[in-house]
């Protein structure tokens, strides 16, 4: 299979990147991050989550962030919604696209959203109805597609089952998440081969955490499988509160460098992207997790 000519990058930094941060991050800083990312040419930015603030305190100010960002017409500003309550809060905040999130492993589903996989799918059904009624698009996530922090190995067939359900209920795209970043290029290809027989490949996305340093290799493996949408996080920020040891997402700067080298078009400006990463790392008081940004800042 030849490589895709265009790739869409979904910037999950303001949500996945920051949700696990213990230190408080002001609404101002979050707004500045989102605006810097849209200025860099990202076409989709996951701004926040409408989840329980008791479960994920860092995302509590998401409605305020949505109220203050400078919306650019050709950018999609998305948010997570785990249930109808979250969807209604998102709608009230002017969100036009939400993401529901399920897991391929039962234990992770329980820890992350306090219900079984089938219960989670039942919870999503009224979201899909309400979304249709309000013209809101819904993206789906499946977590733990290449391993679970509680159960270990996860069969690709199990991932396919959940992805197929999400697609069948109306998710326009299903993002497959290596939540704990243990996946390898071989396992990634196998997983997309299997899931791709149940959901069209052009409706699938890859979401790789970099715990074992394999995320970029997994992006390349996915490209070889015809996948053309990837979630990534500025400066490699990130981690899930319910996946102990899970490190950041693959860095957007690093994925862009890979894609640029392959001549694949994204419409993203590397210099502005690196600047957005520099700003948020200054706020967090941490060095960047992007190898490209580190190399550029040092040169
Ligand atoms: P629950 O405790 O089972 O829910 O939580 P409940 O319905 O029993 O409600 C309990 C309390 O939460 C009530 O408040 C509700 O009002 C409130 P109380 O009466 O105790 O004061 N509540 C809410 N508050 C605000 N917004 C809501 C909401 N719903 C209920 N939407 C729930 C169930 C799903 C809400 C909870 O488990 C939760 O919020 N979990 C958050 C999980 C999360 O955000 N995880 C991180 C994102 S997923 C991820 O990172 C993976 C991904 O990146 C892909 C990958 O890497 O694999 C996407
Ligand atoms: Mg994630």
């Amino acid at each position: 299979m030849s490589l895709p000519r265009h790739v869409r990058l979904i910037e999950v930094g303001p949500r996945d990147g920051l949700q696990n941060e213990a230190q408080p991050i002001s609404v101002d800083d979050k707004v500045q991050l989102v605006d810097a990312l849209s200025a860099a040419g990202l076409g989709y930015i996951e701004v926040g989550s409408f989840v329980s603030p008791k479960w994920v305190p860092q995302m509590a100010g998401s409605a305020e962030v949505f109220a203050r960002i400078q919306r650019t017409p050709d950018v999609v500003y998305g948010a997570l919604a785990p249930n109808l309550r979250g969807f209604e809060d998102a709608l009230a905040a002017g969100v036009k696209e939400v993401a529901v999130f399920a897991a391929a492993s039962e234990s992770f589903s329980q820890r992350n959203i306090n219900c079984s996989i089938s219960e989670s799918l039942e919870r999503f059904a009224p979201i899909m109805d309400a979304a249709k009624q309000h013209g809101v698009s819904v993206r789906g996530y499946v977590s733990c597609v290449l391993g679970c922090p509680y159960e270990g190995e996860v069969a690709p067939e199990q991932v396919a089952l959940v992805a197929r359900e999400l697609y069948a209920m109306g998710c326009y795209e299903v993002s497959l998440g290596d939540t704990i970043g243990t996946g390898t290029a071989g396992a990634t290809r196998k997983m997309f081969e299997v899931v791709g027989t149940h959901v069209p490949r052009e409706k699938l996305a890859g979401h790789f955490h970099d715990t074992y340093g394999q995320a970029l290799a997994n992006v390349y493996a996915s490209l070889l499988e015809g996948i053309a949408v990837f979630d990534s996080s500025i400066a490699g920020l990130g981690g899930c509160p319910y996946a102990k040891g899970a490190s950041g997402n693959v860095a957007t700067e690093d994925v862009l460098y890979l894609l640029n080298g392959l001549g694949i078009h994204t419409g993203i400006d590397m210099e502005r992207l690196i600047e957005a990463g520099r700003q948020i790392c200054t706020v967090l008081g941490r060095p960047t997790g992007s190898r490209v940004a580190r190399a550029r800042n040092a040169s």
Side-chain angles (χ1 to χ4, degrees):
M1 191 176 283
S2 57
L3 294 177
R5 292 175 59 183
H6 298 268
V7 157
R8 270 197 306 126
L9 288 189
I10 309 291
E11 172 58 50
V12 297
R15 193 280 302 171
D16 207 353
L18 299 182
Q19 69 183 9
N20 206 26
E21 276 296 326
Q23 57 177 312
I25 302 160
S26 71
V27 168
D28 275 351
D29 287 329
K30 289 178 182 170
V31 169
Q32 193 180 33
L33 173 61
V34 173
D35 290 345
L37 291 165
S38 62
L42 266 314
Y44 189 121
I45 303 170
E46 207 170 66
V47 172
S49 297
F50 292 87
V51 298
S52 162
K54 286 183 196 145
W55 286 64
V56 186
Q58 189 61 257
M59 290 292 109
S62 291
E64 217 184 325
V65 179
F66 268 99
R68 289 171 48 189
I69 51 177
Q70 271 191 330
R71 293 188 195 230
T72 305
D74 44 359
V75 177
V76 176
Y77 298 94
L80 296 194
N83 52 19
L84 196 55
R85 156 86 190 272
F87 176 81
E88 283 165 356
D89 290 351
L91 199 64
V95 179
K96 299 281 190 301
E97 169 145 349
V98 298
V100 295
F101 47 109
S105 98
E106 285 295 348
S107 317
F108 187 79
S109 184
Q110 288 292 350
R111 304 284 178 111
N112 194 36
I113 48 177
N114 207 22
C115 63
S116 68
I117 297 170
S118 65
E119 282 165 345
S120 74
L121 296 172
E122 280 168 30
R123 275 184 198 177
F124 301 154
I127 297 183
M128 302 310 299
D129 291 343
K132 204 168 177 187
Q133 198 186 325
H134 292 278
V136 170
S137 315
V138 185
R139 194 167 190 252
Y141 276 110
V142 184
S143 286
C144 297
V145 300
L146 294 170
C148 167
Y150 311 106
E151 293 179 19
E153 267 184 42
V154 171
E157 290 73 15
Q158 176 62 20
V159 180
L161 217 74
V162 181
R164 195 175 58 188
E165 288 291 325
L166 290 174
Y167 184 60
M169 65 170 51
C171 292
Y172 74 91
E173 181 172 285
V174 181
S175 173
L176 303 178
D178 182 12
T179 317
I180 55 171
T182 51
T184 60
T188 298
R189 292 198 75 168
K190 174 80 191 151
M191 194 265 299
F192 277 117
E193 260 171 39
V194 174
V195 181
T197 62
H198 296 266
V199 179
R201 285 177 199 226
E202 64 271 21
K203 302 294 181 187
L204 295 173
H207 176 113
F208 298 103
H209 286 262
D210 200 30
T211 320
Y212 280 68
Q214 303 300 302
L216 211 53
N218 294 342
V219 169
Y220 187 64
S222 310
L223 286 169
L224 294 174
E225 288 299 321
I227 303 304
V229 184
F230 296 97
D231 305 347
S232 62
S233 176
I234 187 75
L237 301 175
C240 177
Y242 304 101
K244 200 168 178 295
S247 70
N249 294 73
V250 68
T252 309
E253 301 91 318
D254 298 359
V255 179
L256 182 62
Y257 189 81
L258 171 76
L259 297 174
N260 285 347
L262 291 166
I264 295 174
H265 180 75
T266 59
I268 301 167
D269 181 313
M270 178 66 93
E271 301 315 315
R272 287 186 169 195
L273 191 63
I274 289 175
E275 178 53 22
R278 198 193 55 73
Q279 280 176 20
I280 188 64
C281 287
T282 304
V283 168
L284 297 173
R286 262 213 310 278
T288 180
S290 158
R291 298 291 295 268
V292 169
R294 230 182 293 166
R296 287 290 177 90
N297 292 337
S299 64

